[in-house]
Amino acid sequence: MTASCAPRKAPPPRPASPFSSWSFVGILLVVQVLLLPTSSDACDDPPRFQSMKLKGASQATYNPGDKIEYECRPGYMRIVPLLTTTAVCQADNTWAPLQEACTRKPCPQLGDPLNGRVNGTFLFGSQAHFVCNEGFQLVGPEILHCDLAGNSVAWDNEPPYCEKILCKPPRQIPNGKYTNSHKDTFEYNEVVIYSCNPSSGPDEYSLVGESELICSGFDTWSSDPPECKVVKCPYPALENGKFVSGFGKKFYYRATVVLQCYSGYYLKGNDTIVCGADNMWEPKVPECIKESISPSTKLPTSSHSVSVPTSTQPTISSVSGVKPTTAPPVSRLPDHPSTSEPPSEVLGGWIIAVIVIFSCKCPKRGYHFSQNINL
């Protein structure tokens, strides 16, 4: 057997896959992308302030080192020139420096009105309140507002003033008058007093309403004027009753009467009545109602009368030898109760009999009791 020395041929190469090398490269690229830091805007939108606004238009993105500038809003002004109104986007995604650099503008100074005062602050957006002293009233707006006026600020109205409170004379009334009726004006808190004239008829006038009126505001009195008229209530006759106070023959306005019922009657209504402005009693005259006693309220009466039984009373004989009648013996055994009168009544009868006997005037001689009385 001989060995062949011819060279061995290598197997033909396998065709390369078109995806093998590119897949590996793609994986490497994805890993590198994932390992890279995520890129974004360095800073968010510029912050907003009440007193400042961004100067110019805002950008879509802000990178580190970008600078923005603010300006005061209308109605505001710079606090001090040293405070900056700019901010810079920092590498840590923040804006710096951040601070309010503007404040509200003041409106013109307001002084206290004569006979009054003003309260509040005078800065943009605030209010000023005006108040007058007692006895004076405000003429004009009570509140002023500090508002924008072009590029500046100003009050929205003219300041008010305080005027002295005066009242015109109150109204005259028929059959009456009031004090100081000669005056043309009355000052704040001034008082007038009404009174009625004397009546020309049999009945006097009554003042119905408030007798004193006070000037409490500009041409304003505390109440309406009263009336002067005859007010007379009928006699408050109370059947089965009587007067306690308020006696009289005539009962005029505000006359007060106190009433009371006789014994055996109770009062239905109010015991105190007052003559009202409509000539009627207020409240109305009460009534006296007869009391009714129910049987359960009667006192109990004894069913036994205290008397001396005739059968137990001893007979006093005026002739010697006549025996008096005696009462039958009373059984004292507990098991045999007596059917006669109770022992208390028998005992009471004997006591009365003894009293009668000893009170008699008997002859000294020739007479004696035929029987001893044993109690």
Side-chain angles (χ1 to χ4, degrees), residues 22 52 89 153 195 236 274 282 293 297 326 339 366:
W22 289 106
M52 301 187 302
C89 179
V153 292
S195 59
V274 180
E282 299 174 356
I293 303 177
T297 60
T326 59
T339 59

Side-chain angles (χ1 to χ4, degrees), residues 183-197:
K183 298 180 65 173
D184 294 331
T185 57
F186 294 84
E187 296 184 358
Y188 177 75
N189 270 347
E190 191 169 356
V191 179
V192 297
I193 301 175
Y194 281 84
S195 59
C196 294
N197 299 328

Side-chain angles (χ1 to χ4, degrees), residues 214-375:
I214 305 172
C215 177
S216 57
F218 183 75
D219 282 341
T220 303
W221 292 93
S222 56
S223 64
D224 293 331
E227 296 180 78
C228 283
K229 63 179 183 178
V230 175
V231 177
K232 187 178 179 182
C233 288
Y235 187 87
L238 181 64
E239 188 177 359
N240 299 314
K242 61 181 180 179
F243 279 68
V244 176
S245 65
F247 301 91
K249 294 182 179 180
K250 295 181 179 181
F251 301 91
Y252 296 114
Y253 181 56
R254 289 184 177 175
T256 303
V257 174
V258 179
L259 302 171
Q260 186 182 59
C261 292
Y262 294 140
S263 178
Y265 295 83
Y266 69 89
L267 193 70
K268 182 182 178 181
N270 201 312
D271 63 344
T272 303
I273 55 177
V274 180
C275 182
D278 57 352
N279 303 305
M280 300 294 292
W281 291 102
E282 299 174 356
K284 66 178 184 178
V285 180
E287 299 179 67
C288 288
I289 309 298
K290 188 174 181 60
E291 296 178 348
S292 59
I293 303 177
S294 59
S296 60
T297 60
K298 293 183 179 180
L299 295 176
T301 57
S302 176
S303 59
H304 299 282
S305 60
V306 179
S307 61
V308 180
T310 55
S311 61
T312 60
Q313 294 179 0
T315 303
I316 303 175
S317 177
S318 59
V319 181
S320 176
V322 179
K323 296 182 179 180
T325 60
T326 59
V330 179
S331 175
R332 300 182 181 275
L333 295 178
D335 295 335
H336 299 81
S338 173
T339 59
S340 61
E341 288 82 3
S344 59
E345 294 189 3
V346 176
L347 181 60
W350 281 104
I351 293 174
I352 295 174
V354 170
I355 295 173
V356 172
I357 292 173
F358 282 97
S359 63
C360 293
K361 293 183 179 180
C362 299
K364 294 182 180 180
R365 297 179 182 179
Y367 297 95
H368 63 276
F369 294 108
S370 62
Q371 183 178 352
N372 294 328
I373 301 173
N374 296 323
L375 298 179

Side-chain angles (χ1 to χ4, degrees), residues 114-115 132-138 162-165 188:
L114 187 62
N115 299 309
C132 291
N133 298 336
E134 186 177 7
F136 295 84
Q137 65 177 1
L138 202 64
C162 294
E163 183 182 58
K164 192 172 186 178
I165 294 177
Y188 177 75

Side-chain angles (χ1 to χ4, degrees), residues 30-37:
V30 170
V31 171
Q32 289 180 0
V33 169
L34 293 176
L35 293 177
L36 290 175

